[in-house]
Amino acid sequence: MTRVLGIETSCDETAAAVVARGRDGVPAILSNVVLSQIEEHAAFGGVVPEIAARAHVEALDGVIEAALGEAGLTFDDIDGIAATAGPGLIGGLIVGLTTGKALAAALDKPLLPINHLEGHALTARLTDQLEFPYLLLLVSGGHTQIVHVAGVGRYERWASTIDDALGEAFDKTAKLLGLPYPGGPSVEKAAEKGNPTRFAFPRPLKGERRPDFSFSGLKTAVRRAAGELAPLSGEDVADICASFQKAVTETLADRIARSLERFRRTCPDLAQPALVVAGGVAANAAIRDTLEDLCRDEGFRLVAPPLKLCGDNAAMIAWAGLERLEAGLAAAGALSFAPRPRWPLDENAAPLFGTGKRGAKA
Ligand code: KG4
Ligand code: ZN
């Protein structure tokens, strides 16, 4: 039995969790505590790094204690400490990683500095015991990318946004329509009552051979439509949101199909290849439906972890730590690992213009 404590503080959630793999090889989440700071940041319409770091300092000890308590364990029962070391907001990363280092040093247990994106990438192995290789679509506030996941620590980025992340496009659209933060759920809710055909928003890069994404043109088109109609009625807002979401789903289906084809060519022997979706935007029901349809058409299995594990959490960090520990990848010198606000999952991927410029969220 291997048990790992995970700590996640890269953005606006203070989180701690314990995961385990039993002798039968089956993974289990023993606890998963997530304390959201949404209320602290709501008045500012976005995450304020200083407020986030301070809130992590205040909450983290209690959150770790709660995670151990919920699992019915003490520090003695833990085999390793995993902490997010990047990418993310530097203040939060310092709080979480330093806490992890202190615990590891005091308890004489291995420390596993984890790339937050690796946490998202490996979650499907925790929830669905998925075998390598598979394709990952990561759609969050700071990232939009497709990654070929070949094994623990073996990631190849096949596609990425060349400007805004998809969650960022949702957040900016919400902000300019006066909808509350966080924007994704607000836009989705408003879209339910709207007419998706009223506005002909662009489908950026649709039909192009390159597999990448682009969302800034879409956001600009929304701004123009909103400006022309101002002041906006409730119906206008709903119609803009519905038309925006329609443009997003159609664009995603077109772009992702490129990488599904490539995966088929790369791994022709897999009976049923899998597409895993991760990141906060994966909570969007219209996007999930689109991915279901696309996967059905292309002969893929869609693996969408439960909502609680799609957004940021520490179970995924603990799990990545457990996978690394079991694979013998616990790094020597981990106690002096410096947090990395920018840390691509595929270190060999050429940077794309504008990619991850917000850099703060993953
Ligand atoms: O992965 P995540 O929890 O945090 C990071 O970005 O690290 O993702 C948050 C992002 C935000 O941009 C939020 O607006 C978006 O996910 N989001 C959604 C929905 N729920 C959250 N976007 C669209 N529809 C949703 N239902
Ligand atoms: Zn994330």
Side-chain angles (χ1 to χ4, degrees):
M1 170 78 115
T2 314
R3 298 189 192 99
V4 173
L5 169 71
I7 297 171
E8 158 61 39
T9 55
S10 66
C11 191
D12 58 346
E13 268 96 17
T14 313
V18 182
V19 303
R21 185 179 344 241
R23 277 192 202 93
D24 53 4
V26 178
I29 299 176
L30 304 185
S31 65
N32 186 18
V33 180
V34 181
L35 189 72
S36 168
Q37 303 175 359
I38 281 183
E39 282 177 18
E40 274 100 320
H41 301 286
F44 304 94
V47 177
V48 184
E50 265 309 313
I51 294 178
R54 203 167 299 208
H56 287 308
V57 171
E58 280 164 13
L60 187 55
D61 288 0
V63 168
I64 291 173
E65 222 171 271
L68 281 174
E70 217 172 87
L73 301 173
T74 68
F75 282 121
D76 290 341
D77 304 313
I78 299 295
D79 300 296
I81 318 271
T84 304
L89 295 170
I90 185 67
L93 292 174
I94 289 173
V95 174
L97 185 58
T98 308
T99 304
K101 285 177 181 175
L103 286 173
L107 300 165
D108 196 21
K109 313 245 177 194
L111 172 76
L112 301 125
I114 300 297
N115 182 318
H116 176 93
L117 305 177
E118 180 170 61
H120 282 303
L122 298 179
T123 299
R125 291 172 50 76
L126 166 66
T127 56
D128 293 77
Q129 292 181 262
L130 195 62
E131 300 283 340
F132 298 121
Y134 53 86
L135 206 56
L136 168 77
L137 170 69
L138 177 63
V139 274
S140 71
H143 292 269
T144 300
Q145 47 185 271
I146 294 181
V147 179
H148 177 253
V149 182
V152 179
R154 295 175 57 206
Y155 313 104
E156 201 177 283
R157 197 188 71 201
W158 282 6
S160 176
T161 178
I162 57 170
D163 40 56
D164 291 350
L166 183 52
E168 195 178 359
F170 269 94
D171 292 337
K172 286 179 177 170
T173 295
K175 203 166 185 174
L176 66 93
L177 295 176
L179 295 173
Y181 163 88
S186 310
V187 171
E188 179 175 15
K189 190 151 184 297
E192 278 166 18
K193 296 179 229 89
N195 171 6
T197 59
R198 179 165 159 203
F199 298 94
F201 292 140
R203 273 68 171 152
L205 298 182
K206 190 171 176 198
E208 294 207 13
R209 279 183 64 85
R210 67 183 295 184
D212 297 310
F213 303 89
S214 164
F215 296 107
S216 74
L218 189 49
K219 171 196 65 195
T220 308
V222 168
R223 178 178 296 126
R224 196 175 309 124
E228 281 166 9
L229 285 172
L232 299 174
S233 68
E235 196 182 340
D236 293 334
V237 170
D239 291 348
I240 290 176
C241 288
S243 302
F244 166 82
Q245 212 168 256
K246 179 97 184 124
V248 165
T249 51
E250 280 189 25
T251 307
L252 281 179
D254 174 75
R255 305 286 68 223
I256 296 164
R258 296 269 157 208
S259 293
L260 296 187
E261 284 161 21
R262 180 174 171 192
F263 191 82
R264 270 252 180 253
R265 286 198 305 275
T266 311
C267 310
D269 299 332
L270 285 182
Q272 197 181 31
L275 173 71
V276 174
V277 58
V281 183
N284 186 291
I287 291 177
R288 282 193 178 222
D289 288 349
T290 301
L291 296 175
E292 286 283 1
D293 291 347
L294 178 67
C295 283
R296 197 180 325 105
D297 292 350
E298 302 289 334
F300 271 68
R301 166 181 171 213
L302 179 69
V303 180
L307 292 188
K308 203 168 174 221
L309 297 171
C310 271
D312 289 347
N313 65 85
M316 69 178 192
I317 302 304
W319 176 252
L322 189 148
E323 291 242 52
R324 286 195 161 261
L325 196 61
E326 290 188 342
L329 294 173
L335 286 182
S336 49
F337 193 99
R340 294 183 60 179
R342 283 168 187 262
W343 186 3
L345 194 51
D346 176 359
E347 305 252 19
N348 298 318
L352 289 171
F353 174 73
T355 304
K357 67 182 173 236
R358 193 162 84 174
K361 296 188 81 190

